């Protein structure tokens, strides 16, 4: 995702992308001709390595939809993916230079447009990159946009974001994004699986989130989730688990305005605070 800085946390570093390329809505043309052979190779190697460990760790819907991204050997043209994606769920990918502010981000989602950073990490950042790049945004987020329920959830999230912005509640809503779309786990018939993009695009966190005895895993609960801070530079110490995408959709259907009002007066939980 290209996401508002509030989601990824305020950073001292200037963002890497060239924002002079962007239009008023922060979108730009995907500079496909600008990718080097090394860029395509980085994508290919990241893709292969992550694919190997998906069975047993990634949600079934994600594994099933992954082939829609097209050839793994090179960074896809977003327009190619769009032909399939639009037919499946009426979503479209739009290129962005990197993280974008909250309101433009929510506006794109509300219009079923998903912002995808078009540049890829440098080879020396193969293991870890702080900002989302095209591998995170595309590989991590896009397969589940082919799922009709998650696709609708994302649009609702965008509309909810515009409302949260009016109510000054973006931080609470961002936590919901973080603990579902980025770092969510799902209980499937075959066992616990990951559906969050931050996990699915991470070589280390995918097995960690599903199998490690270290982090706590709580059933997704709106109030608890919206009160829980998060860390952007380490594996999560708390994951929230859903039973199905339908459950996530239904759980978030209520009007959040009274919820925000109530939560404002309540203390926050630290990212690693244990339920006792
Ligand atoms: N129901 C939320 C509201 O009223 C909107 C929302 C839907 C937010 C789905 C996130 C996900 O603000
Ligand atoms: Fe993301």
């Amino acid at each position: 995702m290209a996401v508002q800085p509030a989601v990824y946390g305020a950073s001292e570093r200037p963002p890497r992308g060239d924002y002079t390329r962007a239009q008023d809505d922060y979108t730009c043309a995907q500079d496909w001709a600008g990718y080097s052979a090394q860029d395509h190779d980085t994508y290919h190697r990241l893709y292969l390595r992550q694919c190997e460990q998906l069975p047993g760790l990634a949600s079934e819907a994600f594994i099933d939809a992954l082939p829609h991204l097209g050839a793994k050997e090179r960074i896809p043209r977003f327009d190619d993916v769009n032909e399939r994606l639009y037919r499946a769920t009426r979503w479209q990918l739009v290129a962005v230079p990197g993280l974008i502010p909250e309101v433009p981000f929510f506006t794109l989602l509300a219009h079923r447009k998903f912002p995808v950073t078009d540049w890829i990490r440098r080879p020396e950042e193969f293991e870890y990159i702080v900002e989302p790049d095209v591998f995170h945004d595309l590989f991590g987020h896009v397969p589940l946009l082919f799922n009709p329920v998650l696709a609708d959830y994302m649009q609702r999230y965008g509309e909810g974001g515009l409302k949260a912005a009016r109510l000054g509640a973006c931080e609470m809503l961002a936590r919901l994004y973080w603990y579902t779309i980025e770092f969510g786990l799902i209980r499937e018939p075959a066992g616990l699986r990951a559906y969050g993009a931050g996990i699915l695009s991470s070589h280390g966190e995918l097995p960690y989130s599903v199998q490690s005895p270290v982090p706590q895993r709580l059933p997704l609960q709106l109030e608890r989730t919206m009160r829980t801070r998060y860390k952007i530079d380490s594996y999560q110490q708390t994951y929230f688990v859903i039973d199905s995408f339908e459950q996530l959709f239904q759980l978030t259907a209520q009007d959040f305005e009274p919820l925000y009002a109530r939560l404002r007066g309540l203390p926050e939980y630290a990212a690693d605070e244990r339920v006792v």
Side-chain angles (χ1 to χ4, degrees):
M1 129 195 73
V3 171
Q4 64 273 36
V7 165
Y8 277 92
S11 161
E12 297 295 309
R13 279 171 314 100
R16 178 169 318 174
D18 170 13
Y19 288 77
T20 62
R21 298 164 54 216
Q23 300 175 279
D24 290 349
D25 65 356
Y26 282 89
T27 66
C28 60
Q30 180 189 16
D31 185 13
W32 201 84
Y35 297 132
S36 66
Q38 187 180 64
D39 290 338
H40 290 300
D41 181 62
T42 300
Y43 179 85
H44 187 199
R45 290 186 297 121
L46 285 164
Y47 192 117
L48 285 180
R49 184 175 72 151
Q50 202 61 347
C51 259
E52 265 174 31
Q53 57 167 354
L54 295 178
L57 296 177
S59 88
E60 207 185 321
F62 179 87
I63 293 177
D64 290 349
L66 194 58
H68 292 308
L69 295 185
K72 58 188 177 306
E73 288 81 10
R74 66 198 93 84
I75 301 168
R77 289 181 193 268
F78 299 167
D79 286 347
D80 280 352
V81 179
N82 278 343
E83 282 180 26
R84 299 183 282 274
L85 182 59
Y86 191 77
R87 245 184 287 130
T89 57
R90 310 216 154 246
W91 271 81
Q92 281 177 283
L93 310 182
V94 289
V96 285
L99 294 171
I100 68 174
E102 281 162 347
V103 168
F105 176 68
F106 295 142
T107 305
L108 289 173
L109 295 185
H111 291 92
R112 290 174 99 86
K113 291 185 178 168
F114 191 77
V116 177
T117 303
D118 69 346
W119 52 264
I120 195 153
R121 67 195 69 183
R122 304 182 184 112
E124 61 272 24
E125 294 164 318
F126 195 74
E127 292 302 328
Y128 182 77
I129 173 155
V130 195
E131 277 178 85
D133 70 342
V134 67
F135 183 73
H136 166 78
D137 282 344
L138 201 75
F139 186 95
H141 284 281
V142 176
L144 284 176
L145 285 176
F146 282 86
N147 177 278
V149 181
L150 252 250
D152 287 348
Y153 174 74
M154 288 294 281
Q155 178 182 6
R156 292 288 176 83
Y157 184 88
E159 293 161 357
L162 293 170
K163 182 163 115 189
R166 284 196 301 277
L167 298 170
C170 286
E171 195 177 353
M172 285 183 259
L173 192 68
R175 290 175 182 158
L176 180 65
Y177 193 94
W178 188 262
Y179 286 116
T180 60
I181 292 301
E182 292 292 351
F183 291 94
L185 297 178
I186 182 167
R187 180 83 52 198
E188 293 189 341
L192 191 65
R193 298 287 186 270
Y195 74 93
I199 303 176
L200 290 163
S201 63
S202 163
H203 184 68
E205 190 153 1
L206 179 55
Y208 173 88
S209 66
V210 174
Q211 296 172 333
S212 168
V214 174
Q216 67 178 335
R217 299 176 184 85
L218 307 175
L220 182 72
Q221 206 246 340
L222 279 187
E223 300 206 1
R224 164 77 203 203
T225 304
M226 288 189 181
R227 288 171 63 189
T228 305
R229 290 194 295 265
Y230 56 81
K231 295 250 166 77
I232 64 157
D233 53 2
S234 64
Y235 293 169
Q236 304 303 305
Q237 291 306 303
T238 304
Y239 295 96
F240 290 93
V241 184
I242 60 172
D243 297 322
S244 65
F245 298 138
E246 286 80 5
Q247 183 216 16
L248 175 62
F249 192 82
Q250 279 157 20
L251 205 64
T252 51
Q254 62 178 268
D255 180 4
F256 284 4
E257 186 167 357
L259 186 62
Y260 295 146
R262 189 162 74 248
L263 295 187
R264 248 184 259 282
L266 299 177
E268 298 178 338
Y269 293 97
D272 59 355
E273 198 159 327
R274 295 279 155 168
V275 178
V276 281

